[in-house]
Amino acid sequence: MEPVDDANTGDLRCLECSTAISEGVATVRTARGVFCADCFARLKQQAQQVLAAQSENIDFARALAGALLGGIGGAVVWWGVTIATHVSFGLVAIVIGVAVGKGIVMLTGGKRAQSLQVMSVVVAAAAYAVGTYLTKRTFKLVDLPLVPTSPSYFFGVASAGFQVFDLVFLAIVVHQAWKIPAPVRLPG
């Protein structure tokens, strides 16, 4: 929507209230158009209230459930693609970070906060380790149990043969998990 410019008089009008803007009147120019200072201040305050609400009253139990469902789903998708294609393609693991971040946002009703970002990263990294264990179990070490017998056994298998590309894929997974539940901020 462009600022109203009356063709007959050449008057420039506020995009919000349609008040004529004359010389000397305080205005704010944005990518959308021109606002009088009062309308812009009111709209900015409303936007700040909406953005502040995104980080309030977070149901962390639902957030954790969304993260875990996303992490399990992402690890299973990665493992399933590995089984279907007979190739352990690490790039598919990126779905883990996306699924964890989206799971948190969906199950919390769109909430976003730094605490949710931290939760997302931790769950995504753990899900990546689970996906790594499952893919290695499928092709390299077929006689491994589906459920590891101990944490040290699990981490031993998951870290066996860890290469630079594994670190790159893990970094991408973590980046996706971090950015999706990040709070939206006003520019400037």
Side-chain angles (χ1 to χ4, degrees), residues 29-94:
R29 285 195 180 275
T30 68
R32 290 191 57 217
V34 179
F35 294 89
C36 64
D38 291 338
C39 285
F40 184 80
R42 184 176 35 78
L43 290 170
K44 184 175 180 180
Q45 182 182 20
Q46 289 172 351
Q48 287 171 335
Q49 290 170 343
V50 168
L51 293 179
Q54 72 183 338
S55 299
E56 296 173 350
N57 301 321
I58 296 171
D59 185 345
F60 286 99
R62 289 180 63 89
L64 183 59
L68 292 173
L69 288 171
I72 291 167
V76 168
V77 165
W78 183 22
W79 186 36
V81 169
T82 300
I83 291 170
T85 63
H86 302 290
V87 176
S88 179
F89 192 51
L91 192 58
V92 177
I94 294 169

Side-chain angles (χ1 to χ4, degrees), residues 20-179:
I21 298 174
S22 58
E23 284 190 44
V25 173
T27 62
V28 177
R29 285 195 180 275
T30 68
R32 290 191 57 217
V34 179
F35 294 89
C36 64
D38 291 338
C39 285
F40 184 80
R42 184 176 35 78
L43 290 170
K44 184 175 180 180
Q45 182 182 20
Q46 289 172 351
Q48 287 171 335
Q49 290 170 343
V50 168
L51 293 179
Q54 72 183 338
S55 299
E56 296 173 350
N57 301 321
I58 296 171
D59 185 345
F60 286 99
R62 289 180 63 89
L64 183 59
L68 292 173
L69 288 171
I72 291 167
V76 168
V77 165
W78 183 22
W79 186 36
V81 169
T82 300
I83 291 170
T85 63
H86 302 290
V87 176
S88 179
F89 192 51
L91 192 58
V92 177
I94 294 169
V95 75
I96 293 171
V98 173
V100 170
K102 294 276 187 186
I104 286 175
V105 172
M106 284 177 52
L107 263 69
T108 60
K111 297 292 184 178
R112 297 168 180 274
Q114 193 169 19
S115 56
L116 295 177
Q117 289 179 281
V118 172
M119 178 188 294
S120 184
V121 164
V122 169
V123 172
Y128 183 84
V130 169
T132 300
Y133 175 87
L134 292 172
T135 57
K136 286 183 179 180
R137 179 191 172 275
T138 300
F139 293 117
K140 296 179 182 166
L141 307 165
V142 179
D143 58 341
L144 294 176
L146 184 60
V147 178
T149 55
S150 72
S152 61
Y153 182 76
F154 170 79
F155 287 111
V157 171
S159 64
F162 198 80
Q163 298 176 351
V164 173
F165 272 112
D166 296 317
L167 190 59
V168 169
F169 294 135
L170 176 59
I172 296 170
V173 167
V174 166
H175 173 72
Q176 291 298 316
W178 178 260
K179 79 175 190 176

